[in-house]
Amino acid sequence: MIKQLINENNYVQVDQLCSAKVHLKIEGLNPAGSIKLKTAHAIVADLESRGLITPRTRLIESSSGNLGVALAMVCAAKGYQFVCVIDPNTSAPNRKLIQALGAQVIVVDQRDENGGFLYSRIRLIEQMVAQNPDYIWLNQYQNPNNPLAHYNATARAIAEKFGHVDYLFVGAGTTGTLMGCKRYFADHHPRTKVIAVDSVGSVTFGLPGGTRHIPGLGTSRRPEIYEPSDIHAFLTVPEVRTVQVCRWLAQRYGLLFGGSTGTVLAGVQQWAAQIRPDDVVVAISPDMGERYLETLYSDDWVSQRLGPDALQPLFPEFPLSLTA
């Protein structure tokens, strides 16, 4: 049972996935609605500190949604021009938020050779930067300030909250959060086992690429910042299980989470045999689920893309169908 819905440090305790309580660190309660606000602020602040942003500068980035929203918010607050390159998997609310914050949105709908859109988005940005010197590509996939933001903030906050952590489960998208956390714990708490969780169809862990429908985790191109040393284990989760976990969380705890959270917690369940009841287990939740009401939480969307199995309950006592 959950003792508090959300405590003062933005954690929720989740049970049933393994023998231990899972402390879910909720990052979706900040102003941008996701963990990506840390990345956005760090990347832009670095450019400012080096005097690289002028009145003519147009910042440009590829995003599946959340970083785009965070960058649009930061740029709007600072008066900078921002262009966000997204794809059809980006949720409609995220796209509308980016535009509402004054950014220009470009949609790339051509899949790349690995079945995703990332290579296609990046190729377009490279072309635009080559043709116009006023563009600066923020490049979250290679920018060292991406993992540094999570080394200094996310990982440090977890360590200060718990002191000792046996397992830390982190999703792999751009791998900024993952890299920052694994480096911090390797440096300061090397006994903590960092478990990396990704979506089936992502190429980050060296597995074959494939079509993915849920934005957030997974890539069709390995990020340059990714480096696998000091990671204890690598787990991949099918999108069917992601949907099942997200819907179980909604009906079990009354909280909507995004697909990245469902994937990470499905990874906890996958690793359950190795977890002891007295282990301290922490998982990072990158965002909330309100922006995914028309996707993850739509029976029609799920059944059309992932099939009827995705509508089967994770645990029999929790039916998952949300619409008649």
Side-chain angles (χ1 to χ4, degrees):
M1 294 295 293
I2 191 166
K3 294 180 180 178
Q4 293 176 297
L5 192 59
I6 300 177
N7 68 22
E8 66 277 8
N9 294 299
N10 292 342
Y11 286 88
V12 164
Q13 285 189 2
V14 177
D15 60 12
Q16 278 191 267
L17 297 176
C18 63
S19 60
K21 297 288 186 182
V22 180
H23 302 274
L24 185 63
K25 181 171 174 31
I26 300 176
E27 293 284 348
L29 300 179
N30 69 49
S34 82
I35 197 170
K36 294 292 189 177
L37 184 60
K38 299 174 185 177
T39 301
H41 178 267
I43 290 176
V44 174
D46 172 67
L47 292 176
E48 290 177 321
S49 70
R50 293 187 284 146
L52 297 179
I53 301 178
T54 73
R56 294 175 56 88
T57 298
R58 293 174 66 84
L59 303 178
I60 188 168
E61 182 58 297
S62 159
S63 174
S64 62
N66 282 332
L67 183 65
V69 172
L71 283 169
M73 178 177 288
V74 170
C75 289
K78 294 177 176 291
Y80 300 148
Q81 299 179 76
F82 174 53
V83 179
C84 190
V85 180
I86 64 172
D87 62 58
N89 284 342
T90 302
S91 70
N94 272 337
R95 176 177 176 174
K96 292 176 181 177
L97 277 169
I98 295 168
Q99 292 174 315
L101 291 164
Q104 178 186 352
V105 171
I106 299 174
V107 182
V108 171
D109 57 9
Q110 183 66 42
R111 289 190 181 272
D112 58 34
E113 54 269 32
N114 288 320
F117 295 97
L118 182 54
Y119 260 127
S120 301
R121 297 197 316 246
I122 288 176
R123 287 184 187 123
L124 176 61
I125 290 176
E126 289 174 338
Q127 293 171 6
M128 295 177 69
V129 170
Q131 294 168 2
N132 190 333
D134 292 332
Y135 278 100
I136 295 179
W137 180 20
L138 301 175
N139 198 354
Q140 59 176 318
Y141 317 99
Q142 189 172 11
N143 196 315
N145 292 287
N146 184 357
L148 185 61
H150 300 287
Y151 185 102
N152 290 330
T154 309
R156 188 186 305 277
I158 292 170
E160 290 176 351
K161 164 69 175 175
F162 294 97
H164 168 74
V165 176
D166 292 292
Y167 290 102
L168 175 62
F169 287 80
V170 189
T174 66
T175 71
T177 305
L178 176 62
M179 292 298 99
C181 287
K182 69 105 175 181
R183 290 174 191 167
Y184 183 91
F185 280 91
D187 288 347
H188 301 282
H189 301 277
R191 294 181 62 185
T192 296
K193 298 177 178 67
V194 176
I195 311 295
V197 188
D198 204 356
S199 301
V200 170
S202 171
V203 305
T204 301
F205 298 162
L207 299 173
T211 300
R212 291 172 289 108
H213 301 284
I214 301 173
L217 301 187
T219 65
S220 56
R221 170 186 177 274
R222 180 180 286 193
E224 289 85 352
I225 59 174
Y226 174 69
E227 202 285 306
S229 66
D230 296 316
I231 296 176
H232 182 73
F234 304 84
L235 309 178
T236 56
V237 172
E239 291 188 323
V240 166
R241 184 51 58 91
T242 293
V243 170
Q244 291 175 328
V245 172
C246 283
R247 288 171 168 232
W248 170 73
L249 287 166
Q251 297 186 17
R252 173 69 175 83
Y253 295 105
L255 293 169
L256 291 180
F257 291 103
S260 300
T261 302
T263 303
V264 169
L265 289 179
V268 174
Q269 186 184 43
Q270 193 179 126
W271 194 253
Q274 281 78 290
I275 298 174
R276 300 170 302 182
D278 60 346
D279 282 338
V280 177
V281 181
V282 179
I284 297 176
S285 168
D287 67 351
M288 305 304 285
E290 289 85 351
R291 299 175 187 175
Y292 306 96
L293 289 173
E294 297 179 2
T295 55
L296 288 172
Y297 297 99
S298 163
D299 286 359
D300 289 342
W301 187 94
V302 169
S303 61
Q304 288 172 11
R305 288 161 179 80
L306 302 177
D309 287 349
L311 298 178
Q312 297 302 310
L314 183 67
F315 300 108
E317 65 268 33
F318 293 101
L320 293 185
S321 183
L322 300 182
T323 57

